[in-house]
PDB file of all heavy atoms in Angstrom:
ATOM      1  N   THR E   1    -164.011 -58.596 -15.762  1.00 95.00           N
ATOM      2  CA  THR E   1    -164.534 -57.428 -15.139  1.00 95.00           C
ATOM      3  C   THR E   1    -163.622 -57.092 -13.765  1.00 95.00           C
ATOM      4  O   THR E   1    -163.832 -56.046 -13.250  1.00 95.00           O
ATOM      5  CB  THR E   1    -165.974 -57.530 -14.595  1.00 95.00           C
ATOM      6  OG1 THR E   1    -166.111 -58.725 -13.755  1.00 95.00           O
ATOM      7  CG2 THR E   1    -166.776 -57.659 -15.808  1.00 95.00           C
ATOM      8  N   TYR E   2    -162.701 -58.036 -13.567  1.00 95.00           N
ATOM      9  CA  TYR E   2    -161.863 -57.713 -12.409  1.00 95.00           C
ATOM     10  C   TYR E   2    -160.764 -57.027 -12.548  1.00 95.00           C
ATOM     11  O   TYR E   2    -160.014 -57.103 -13.691  1.00 95.00           O
ATOM     12  CB  TYR E   2    -161.410 -59.102 -11.671  1.00 95.00           C
ATOM     13  CG  TYR E   2    -162.579 -59.783 -11.110  1.00 95.00           C
ATOM     14  CD1 TYR E   2    -163.525 -60.664 -11.749  1.00 95.00           C
ATOM     15  CD2 TYR E   2    -162.991 -59.647  -9.681  1.00 95.00           C
ATOM     16  CE1 TYR E   2    -164.573 -61.232 -11.219  1.00 95.00           C
ATOM     17  CE2 TYR E   2    -164.081 -60.157  -9.168  1.00 95.00           C
ATOM     18  CZ  TYR E   2    -164.828 -61.056  -9.922  1.00 95.00           C
ATOM     19  OH  TYR E   2    -166.048 -61.598  -9.400  1.00 95.00           O
ATOM     20  N   ALA E   3    -160.346 -56.025 -11.822  1.00 90.00           N
ATOM     21  CA  ALA E   3    -159.204 -55.167 -11.853  1.00 90.00           C
ATOM     22  C   ALA E   3    -157.946 -55.989 -11.847  1.00 90.00           C
ATOM     23  O   ALA E   3    -157.836 -57.057 -11.248  1.00 90.00           O
ATOM     24  CB  ALA E   3    -159.215 -54.083 -10.897  1.00 90.00           C
ATOM     25  N   GLY E   4    -156.841 -55.436 -12.421  1.00 82.00           N
ATOM     26  CA  GLY E   4    -155.658 -56.143 -12.456  1.00 82.00           C
ATOM     27  C   GLY E   4    -154.740 -55.788 -11.328  1.00 82.00           C
ATOM     28  O   GLY E   4    -155.493 -55.470 -10.199  1.00 82.00           O
ATOM     29  N   PRO E   5    -153.677 -56.252 -11.149  1.00 89.00           N
ATOM     30  CA  PRO E   5    -152.882 -56.688 -12.285  1.00 89.00           C
ATOM     31  C   PRO E   5    -153.207 -57.920 -12.870  1.00 89.00           C
ATOM     32  O   PRO E   5    -153.838 -58.779 -12.131  1.00 89.00           O
ATOM     33  CB  PRO E   5    -151.415 -56.696 -11.692  1.00 89.00           C
ATOM     34  CG  PRO E   5    -151.524 -57.041 -10.221  1.00 89.00           C
ATOM     35  CD  PRO E   5    -152.896 -56.320  -9.858  1.00 89.00           C
ATOM     36  N   ARG E   6    -152.957 -58.171 -14.211  1.00 91.00           N
ATOM     37  CA  ARG E   6    -153.410 -59.303 -14.894  1.00 91.00           C
ATOM     38  C   ARG E   6    -152.205 -59.865 -15.654  1.00 91.00           C
ATOM     39  O   ARG E   6    -151.342 -59.214 -16.104  1.00 91.00           O
ATOM     40  CB  ARG E   6    -154.530 -58.969 -15.867  1.00 91.00           C
ATOM     41  CG  ARG E   6    -155.710 -58.246 -15.273  1.00 91.00           C
ATOM     42  CD  ARG E   6    -156.721 -57.973 -16.423  1.00 91.00           C
ATOM     43  NE  ARG E   6    -157.416 -59.103 -16.824  1.00 91.00           N
ATOM     44  CZ  ARG E   6    -158.503 -59.609 -16.094  1.00 91.00           C
ATOM     45  NH1 ARG E   6    -158.922 -59.047 -15.000  1.00 91.00           N
ATOM     46  NH2 ARG E   6    -159.179 -60.617 -16.620  1.00 91.00           N
ATOM     47  N   ILE E   7    -152.228 -61.273 -15.810  1.00 88.00           N
ATOM     48  CA  ILE E   7    -151.377 -61.846 -16.906  1.00 88.00           C
ATOM     49  C   ILE E   7    -152.218 -62.755 -17.726  1.00 88.00           C
ATOM     50  O   ILE E   7    -153.305 -63.205 -17.311  1.00 88.00           O
ATOM     51  CB  ILE E   7    -150.262 -62.771 -16.179  1.00 88.00           C
ATOM     52  CG1 ILE E   7    -150.754 -63.810 -15.381  1.00 88.00           C
ATOM     53  CG2 ILE E   7    -149.209 -61.838 -15.427  1.00 88.00           C
ATOM     54  CD1 ILE E   7    -149.730 -64.791 -14.965  1.00 88.00           C
ATOM     55  N   ASP E   8    -151.799 -63.027 -18.879  1.00 90.00           N
ATOM     56  CA  ASP E   8    -152.564 -63.895 -19.813  1.00 90.00           C
ATOM     57  C   ASP E   8    -151.931 -65.267 -20.281  1.00 90.00           C
ATOM     58  O   ASP E   8    -152.347 -66.032 -21.032  1.00 90.00           O
ATOM     59  CB  ASP E   8    -153.091 -63.050 -21.027  1.00 90.00           C
ATOM     60  CG  ASP E   8    -151.912 -62.656 -21.789  1.00 90.00           C
ATOM     61  OD1 ASP E   8    -150.685 -62.761 -21.465  1.00 90.00           O
ATOM     62  OD2 ASP E   8    -152.172 -61.847 -22.793  1.00 90.00           O
ATOM     63  N   SER E   9    -150.663 -65.351 -19.799  1.00 86.00           N
ATOM     64  CA  SER E   9    -149.864 -66.523 -20.128  1.00 86.00           C
ATOM     65  C   SER E   9    -148.667 -66.730 -19.066  1.00 86.00           C
ATOM     66  O   SER E   9    -148.519 -65.826 -18.338  1.00 86.00           O
ATOM     67  CB  SER E   9    -149.445 -66.473 -21.556  1.00 86.00           C
ATOM     68  OG  SER E   9    -148.353 -65.548 -21.580  1.00 86.00           O
ATOM     69  N   TRP E  10    -147.937 -67.663 -19.370  1.00 81.00           N
ATOM     70  CA  TRP E  10    -146.715 -67.969 -18.492  1.00 81.00           C
ATOM     71  C   TRP E  10    -145.504 -67.620 -19.240  1.00 81.00           C
ATOM     72  O   TRP E  10    -144.533 -68.171 -19.162  1.00 81.00           O
ATOM     73  CB  TRP E  10    -146.736 -69.427 -17.949  1.00 81.00           C
ATOM     74  CG  TRP E  10    -147.773 -69.759 -16.971  1.00 81.00           C
ATOM     75  CD1 TRP E  10    -148.945 -70.458 -17.430  1.00 81.00           C
ATOM     76  CD2 TRP E  10    -147.958 -69.137 -15.779  1.00 81.00           C
ATOM     77  NE1 TRP E  10    -149.642 -70.534 -16.317  1.00 81.00           N
ATOM     78  CE2 TRP E  10    -149.180 -69.713 -15.261  1.00 81.00           C
ATOM     79  CE3 TRP E  10    -147.293 -68.361 -14.925  1.00 81.00           C
ATOM     80  CZ2 TRP E  10    -149.728 -69.447 -13.981  1.00 81.00           C
ATOM     81  CZ3 TRP E  10    -147.860 -68.128 -13.636  1.00 81.00           C
ATOM     82  CH2 TRP E  10    -148.963 -68.667 -13.204  1.00 81.00           C
ATOM     83  N   SER E  11    -145.507 -66.533 -20.227  1.00 83.00           N
ATOM     84  CA  SER E  11    -144.453 -66.174 -20.968  1.00 83.00           C
ATOM     85  C   SER E  11    -143.382 -65.548 -20.032  1.00 83.00           C
ATOM     86  O   SER E  11    -143.628 -65.194 -18.875  1.00 83.00           O
ATOM     87  CB  SER E  11    -144.965 -65.100 -22.066  1.00 83.00           C
ATOM     88  OG  SER E  11    -145.301 -63.884 -21.342  1.00 83.00           O
ATOM     89  N   ASP E  12    -142.148 -65.451 -20.585  1.00 81.00           N
ATOM     90  CA  ASP E  12    -141.044 -64.928 -19.816  1.00 81.00           C
ATOM     91  C   ASP E  12    -141.423 -63.587 -19.407  1.00 81.00           C
ATOM     92  O   ASP E  12    -141.030 -63.140 -18.444  1.00 81.00           O
ATOM     93  CB  ASP E  12    -139.755 -65.018 -20.716  1.00 81.00           C
ATOM     94  CG  ASP E  12    -139.209 -66.373 -20.892  1.00 81.00           C
ATOM     95  OD1 ASP E  12    -139.724 -67.393 -20.107  1.00 81.00           O
ATOM     96  OD2 ASP E  12    -138.470 -66.562 -21.800  1.00 81.00           O
ATOM     97  N   THR E  13    -141.996 -62.745 -20.280  1.00 87.00           N
ATOM     98  CA  THR E  13    -142.386 -61.397 -19.943  1.00 87.00           C
ATOM     99  C   THR E  13    -143.353 -61.291 -18.758  1.00 87.00           C
ATOM    100  O   THR E  13    -143.150 -60.395 -17.829  1.00 87.00           O
ATOM    101  CB  THR E  13    -143.004 -60.770 -21.190  1.00 87.00           C
ATOM    102  OG1 THR E  13    -142.174 -60.776 -22.188  1.00 87.00           O
ATOM    103  CG2 THR E  13    -143.352 -59.316 -20.923  1.00 87.00           C
ATOM    104  N   ASN E  14    -144.379 -62.126 -18.740  1.00 82.00           N
ATOM    105  CA  ASN E  14    -145.264 -62.205 -17.684  1.00 82.00           C
ATOM    106  C   ASN E  14    -144.660 -62.689 -16.391  1.00 82.00           C
ATOM    107  O   ASN E  14    -144.862 -62.188 -15.208  1.00 82.00           O
ATOM    108  CB  ASN E  14    -146.378 -62.986 -17.956  1.00 82.00           C
ATOM    109  CG  ASN E  14    -147.470 -62.240 -18.956  1.00 82.00           C
ATOM    110  OD1 ASN E  14    -147.412 -61.214 -19.013  1.00 82.00           O
ATOM    111  ND2 ASN E  14    -148.205 -63.040 -19.547  1.00 82.00           N
ATOM    112  N   VAL E  15    -143.699 -63.585 -16.413  1.00 80.00           N
ATOM    113  CA  VAL E  15    -142.955 -64.111 -15.259  1.00 80.00           C
ATOM    114  C   VAL E  15    -142.106 -62.883 -14.760  1.00 80.00           C
ATOM    115  O   VAL E  15    -142.082 -62.746 -13.514  1.00 80.00           O
ATOM    116  CB  VAL E  15    -142.166 -65.375 -15.714  1.00 80.00           C
ATOM    117  CG1 VAL E  15    -141.173 -65.620 -14.451  1.00 80.00           C
ATOM    118  CG2 VAL E  15    -142.994 -66.548 -15.875  1.00 80.00           C
ATOM    119  N   GLU E  16    -141.464 -62.136 -15.695  1.00 82.00           N
ATOM    120  CA  GLU E  16    -140.639 -61.036 -15.154  1.00 82.00           C
ATOM    121  C   GLU E  16    -141.701 -59.872 -14.539  1.00 82.00           C
ATOM    122  O   GLU E  16    -141.139 -59.325 -13.536  1.00 82.00           O
ATOM    123  CB  GLU E  16    -139.934 -60.283 -16.419  1.00 82.00           C
ATOM    124  CG  GLU E  16    -138.814 -61.191 -16.897  1.00 82.00           C
ATOM    125  CD  GLU E  16    -137.685 -61.280 -15.844  1.00 82.00           C
ATOM    126  OE1 GLU E  16    -137.439 -60.391 -14.976  1.00 82.00           O
ATOM    127  OE2 GLU E  16    -137.064 -62.414 -15.833  1.00 82.00           O
ATOM    128  N   THR E  17    -142.822 -59.733 -15.029  1.00 84.00           N
ATOM    129  CA  THR E  17    -143.825 -58.939 -14.361  1.00 84.00           C
ATOM    130  C   THR E  17    -144.144 -59.463 -13.078  1.00 84.00           C
ATOM    131  O   THR E  17    -144.265 -58.543 -11.939  1.00 84.00           O
ATOM    132  CB  THR E  17    -145.105 -58.807 -15.245  1.00 84.00           C
ATOM    133  OG1 THR E  17    -144.674 -58.219 -16.516  1.00 84.00           O
ATOM    134  CG2 THR E  17    -146.113 -58.020 -14.501  1.00 84.00           C
ATOM    135  N   LEU E  18    -144.349 -60.674 -12.861  1.00 81.00           N
ATOM    136  CA  LEU E  18    -144.707 -61.272 -11.531  1.00 81.00           C
ATOM    137  C   LEU E  18    -143.568 -61.089 -10.491  1.00 81.00           C
ATOM    138  O   LEU E  18    -143.720 -60.814  -9.471  1.00 81.00           O
ATOM    139  CB  LEU E  18    -144.971 -62.727 -11.730  1.00 81.00           C
ATOM    140  CG  LEU E  18    -146.325 -63.019 -12.443  1.00 81.00           C
ATOM    141  CD1 LEU E  18    -146.520 -64.511 -12.632  1.00 81.00           C
ATOM    142  CD2 LEU E  18    -147.500 -62.468 -11.566  1.00 81.00           C
ATOM    143  N   LEU E  19    -142.296 -61.276 -11.024  1.00 80.00           N
ATOM    144  CA  LEU E  19    -141.128 -61.120 -10.225  1.00 80.00           C
ATOM    145  C   LEU E  19    -141.103 -59.564  -9.743  1.00 80.00           C
ATOM    146  O   LEU E  19    -140.657 -59.315  -8.551  1.00 80.00           O
ATOM    147  CB  LEU E  19    -139.860 -61.490 -10.814  1.00 80.00           C
ATOM    148  CG  LEU E  19    -139.735 -62.885 -11.099  1.00 80.00           C
ATOM    149  CD1 LEU E  19    -138.431 -63.290 -12.054  1.00 80.00           C
ATOM    150  CD2 LEU E  19    -139.667 -63.748  -9.804  1.00 80.00           C
ATOM    151  N   THR E  20    -141.432 -58.772 -10.607  1.00 83.00           N
ATOM    152  CA  THR E  20    -141.384 -57.220 -10.182  1.00 83.00           C
ATOM    153  C   THR E  20    -142.464 -56.964  -9.131  1.00 83.00           C
ATOM    154  O   THR E  20    -142.245 -56.338  -8.233  1.00 83.00           O
ATOM    155  CB  THR E  20    -141.594 -56.388 -11.527  1.00 83.00           C
ATOM    156  OG1 THR E  20    -140.571 -56.636 -12.392  1.00 83.00           O
ATOM    157  CG2 THR E  20    -141.536 -54.871 -11.085  1.00 83.00           C
ATOM    158  N   LEU E  21    -143.654 -57.580  -9.345  1.00 80.00           N
ATOM    159  CA  LEU E  21    -144.737 -57.354  -8.334  1.00 80.00           C
ATOM    160  C   LEU E  21    -144.266 -58.063  -6.992  1.00 80.00           C
ATOM    161  O   LEU E  21    -144.522 -57.484  -5.951  1.00 80.00           O
ATOM    162  CB  LEU E  21    -145.941 -58.067  -8.933  1.00 80.00           C
ATOM    163  CG  LEU E  21    -146.705 -57.356 -10.009  1.00 80.00           C
ATOM    164  CD1 LEU E  21    -147.830 -58.221 -10.521  1.00 80.00           C
ATOM    165  CD2 LEU E  21    -147.269 -55.999  -9.463  1.00 80.00           C
ATOM    166  N   PHE E  22    -143.789 -59.195  -7.092  1.00 77.00           N
ATOM    167  CA  PHE E  22    -143.280 -59.986  -5.886  1.00 77.00           C
ATOM    168  C   PHE E  22    -142.423 -59.005  -5.094  1.00 77.00           C
ATOM    169  O   PHE E  22    -142.525 -58.887  -3.821  1.00 77.00           O
ATOM    170  CB  PHE E  22    -142.588 -61.253  -6.255  1.00 77.00           C
ATOM    171  CG  PHE E  22    -142.110 -62.081  -5.088  1.00 77.00           C
ATOM    172  CD1 PHE E  22    -143.029 -62.874  -4.425  1.00 77.00           C
ATOM    173  CD2 PHE E  22    -140.778 -62.004  -4.666  1.00 77.00           C
ATOM    174  CE1 PHE E  22    -142.660 -63.520  -3.230  1.00 77.00           C
ATOM    175  CE2 PHE E  22    -140.379 -62.740  -3.586  1.00 77.00           C
ATOM    176  CZ  PHE E  22    -141.190 -63.482  -2.986  1.00 77.00           C
ATOM    177  N   GLU E  23    -141.513 -58.347  -5.704  1.00 78.00           N
ATOM    178  CA  GLU E  23    -140.437 -57.583  -4.978  1.00 78.00           C
ATOM    179  C   GLU E  23    -140.978 -56.251  -4.540  1.00 78.00           C
ATOM    180  O   GLU E  23    -140.607 -55.697  -3.449  1.00 78.00           O
ATOM    181  CB  GLU E  23    -139.318 -57.210  -5.973  1.00 78.00           C
ATOM    182  CG  GLU E  23    -138.425 -58.437  -6.303  1.00 78.00           C
ATOM    183  CD  GLU E  23    -137.359 -58.234  -7.422  1.00 78.00           C
ATOM    184  OE1 GLU E  23    -137.379 -57.085  -7.978  1.00 78.00           O
ATOM    185  OE2 GLU E  23    -136.657 -59.164  -7.749  1.00 78.00           O
ATOM    186  N   SER E  24    -142.087 -55.645  -5.217  1.00 77.00           N
ATOM    187  CA  SER E  24    -142.702 -54.417  -4.854  1.00 77.00           C
ATOM    188  C   SER E  24    -143.829 -54.489  -3.811  1.00 77.00           C
ATOM    189  O   SER E  24    -144.040 -53.525  -3.065  1.00 77.00           O
ATOM    190  CB  SER E  24    -143.150 -53.745  -6.014  1.00 77.00           C
ATOM    191  OG  SER E  24    -144.222 -54.310  -6.593  1.00 77.00           O
ATOM    192  N   TRP E  25    -144.524 -55.612  -3.721  1.00 75.00           N
ATOM    193  CA  TRP E  25    -145.677 -55.689  -2.747  1.00 75.00           C
ATOM    194  C   TRP E  25    -145.107 -55.931  -1.389  1.00 75.00           C
ATOM    195  O   TRP E  25    -144.265 -56.945  -1.213  1.00 75.00           O
ATOM    196  CB  TRP E  25    -146.716 -56.729  -3.282  1.00 75.00           C
ATOM    197  CG  TRP E  25    -147.718 -56.275  -4.082  1.00 75.00           C
ATOM    198  CD1 TRP E  25    -148.396 -54.940  -4.039  1.00 75.00           C
ATOM    199  CD2 TRP E  25    -148.489 -56.851  -4.936  1.00 75.00           C
ATOM    200  NE1 TRP E  25    -149.400 -54.874  -4.978  1.00 75.00           N
ATOM    201  CE2 TRP E  25    -149.504 -56.046  -5.525  1.00 75.00           C
ATOM    202  CE3 TRP E  25    -148.511 -58.293  -5.450  1.00 75.00           C
ATOM    203  CZ2 TRP E  25    -150.451 -56.433  -6.420  1.00 75.00           C
ATOM    204  CZ3 TRP E  25    -149.425 -58.637  -6.359  1.00 75.00           C
ATOM    205  CH2 TRP E  25    -150.444 -57.718  -6.859  1.00 75.00           C
ATOM    206  N   PRO E  26    -145.595 -55.239  -0.467  1.00 66.00           N
ATOM    207  CA  PRO E  26    -145.183 -55.583   0.871  1.00 66.00           C
ATOM    208  C   PRO E  26    -145.879 -56.784   1.429  1.00 66.00           C
ATOM    209  O   PRO E  26    -147.004 -57.183   1.021  1.00 66.00           O
ATOM    210  CB  PRO E  26    -145.621 -54.303   1.781  1.00 66.00           C
ATOM    211  CG  PRO E  26    -146.843 -53.772   0.973  1.00 66.00           C
ATOM    212  CD  PRO E  26    -146.450 -54.037  -0.516  1.00 66.00           C
TER     213      PRO E  26
END
């Protein structure tokens, strides 16, 4: 029930998503 962003595994794709979030969040 909690809003995202969300990941469901430590896949390379999800790690790339996390890196993008890391760079974009102040």
